[in-house]
Amino acid sequence: MISNKESKFIKSLQLKKFRKLENRFIVEGAKNVLELIRSELRVDRCFVTETFMGNYREEVAAAAVACTVVSEKELSKVGVFTNNNAALAIAEIPQEHALDYSRSMLGFDRVKDPGNLGTIIRIADWYGFDTIVCSPDSVDCYNPKVVSATMGSFARVRVVYADLSEVVGQMETCYGATLNGDDIHRVSFKEPALILFGNESTGIAPALIAQLDQEVKIPAYGGAESLNVGVSTAVFCDNFRRVLNKK
């Protein structure tokens, strides 16, 4: 059973100010909770259904995580997602470490949509980028909707919030996704590099564009006005890895 105190605490973590105050975030769903307990992230407690515990008892025991068996109804009441029928966990937000400028990374200027950032984290994980840098006014990576959309990749990809102007200044090479750049299929990418993407509506801020080494575009073959930032990220990551793997 989830106590009233625990219920209030879990619900409070749906808000950024309380996540920051408590240095905790919530993880929901079987896939995400499993990835969490398999990772090196610190887990305070899990609330799981009997079905989840029956299916993953050995993994839960190996992770040595405190677990409380609850009903599906209880999970749906305290969590963000009413269709969560498996598990919910409270985890500690990891300490931020200095950026490693010897490794390639992805950057995002004012990305606002939780679903987009979650998808981006998952794409970064697929293509082997372990660090994402976001402007401070981007959506919080520990927003439950972001965590859910990562499908577990939040446990392997760290998101750092920093002044992008300073980060661009430190990187050896910086590429930016714009509508007026060079054709991505003709760019000879090199690393370490920062690949920078802009706001869903307004793109990369002009001041940051001025700092780029090269603007790069995904050529359009049809009539669509633009691409979703998650889709653009996938296209850039795929071309970046393809070019580098040929060298």
Side-chain angles (χ1 to χ4, degrees):
M1 182 176 177
I2 303 176
S3 69
N4 286 335
K5 184 178 179 180
E6 289 170 329
S7 177
K8 288 179 180 178
F9 183 68
I10 292 168
K11 288 180 178 180
S12 75
L13 297 179
Q14 295 178 19
L15 301 177
K16 181 179 179 179
K17 65 177 181 179
F18 289 112
R19 291 195 294 270
K20 188 174 182 179
L21 178 66
E22 301 291 346
N23 201 43
R24 296 293 186 274
F25 69 106
I26 56 174
V27 178
E28 297 182 67
K31 171 67 174 175
N32 280 317
V33 170
L34 282 172
E35 292 286 2
L36 173 66
I37 65 175
R38 291 166 181 164
S39 74
E40 296 181 358
L41 295 175
R42 183 173 177 177
V43 185
D44 288 347
R45 177 170 289 277
C46 289
F47 300 92
V48 303
T49 61
E50 288 185 3
T51 301
F52 181 91
M53 182 61 85
N55 290 337
Y56 304 106
R57 189 177 303 277
E58 291 184 2
E59 288 199 59
V60 171
V65 176
C67 280
T68 300
V69 176
V70 300
S71 67
E72 292 182 17
K73 186 176 181 180
E74 286 181 281
L75 285 183
S76 65
K77 278 186 176 181
V78 299
V80 175
F81 303 100
T82 57
N83 61 347
N84 177 16
N85 61 358
L88 181 150
I90 302 171
E92 181 179 322
I93 294 175
Q95 183 178 358
E96 283 193 1
H97 298 285
L99 291 171
D100 182 356
Y101 292 102
S102 68
R103 297 175 63 84
S104 292
M105 61 186 82
L106 305 178
F108 294 87
D109 179 27
R110 297 163 294 132
V111 61
K112 300 293 188 181
D113 184 84
N116 281 344
L117 183 57
T119 299
I120 286 163
I121 292 170
R122 189 177 179 185
I123 291 167
D125 188 22
W126 179 264
Y127 284 101
F129 292 89
D130 59 12
T131 302
I132 290 173
V133 187
C134 289
S135 61
D137 49 355
S138 294
V139 64
D140 180 21
C141 66
Y142 296 108
N143 178 310
K145 292 181 180 179
V146 175
V147 174
S148 177
T150 70
M151 293 302 291
S153 291
F154 72 91
R156 290 177 292 274
V157 178
R158 67 173 183 146
V159 180
V160 177
Y161 291 86
D163 183 332
L164 289 176
S165 179
E166 292 183 5
V167 176
V168 171
Q170 291 287 333
M171 286 299 296
E172 185 173 319
T173 305
C174 293
Y175 303 101
T178 71
L179 295 175
N180 302 310
D182 298 318
D183 187 332
I184 193 170
H185 302 122
R186 299 177 181 176
V187 175
S188 296
F189 290 108
K190 58 182 180 180
E191 61 177 350
L194 174 73
I195 306 175
L196 185 62
F197 301 85
N199 173 268
E200 291 93 338
S201 299
T202 60
I204 302 171
L208 290 172
I209 290 179
Q211 290 183 266
L212 297 172
D213 293 296
Q214 187 172 7
E215 292 182 53
V216 182
K217 70 177 179 182
I218 300 171
Y221 299 96
E225 182 182 6
S226 63
L227 290 175
N228 171 279
V229 66
V231 173
S232 295
T233 301
V235 173
F236 266 81
C237 288
D238 194 78
N239 278 274
F240 185 78
R241 292 303 187 202
R242 175 182 56 80
V243 170
L244 291 174
N245 284 341
K246 286 183 178 181
K247 292 183 178 181

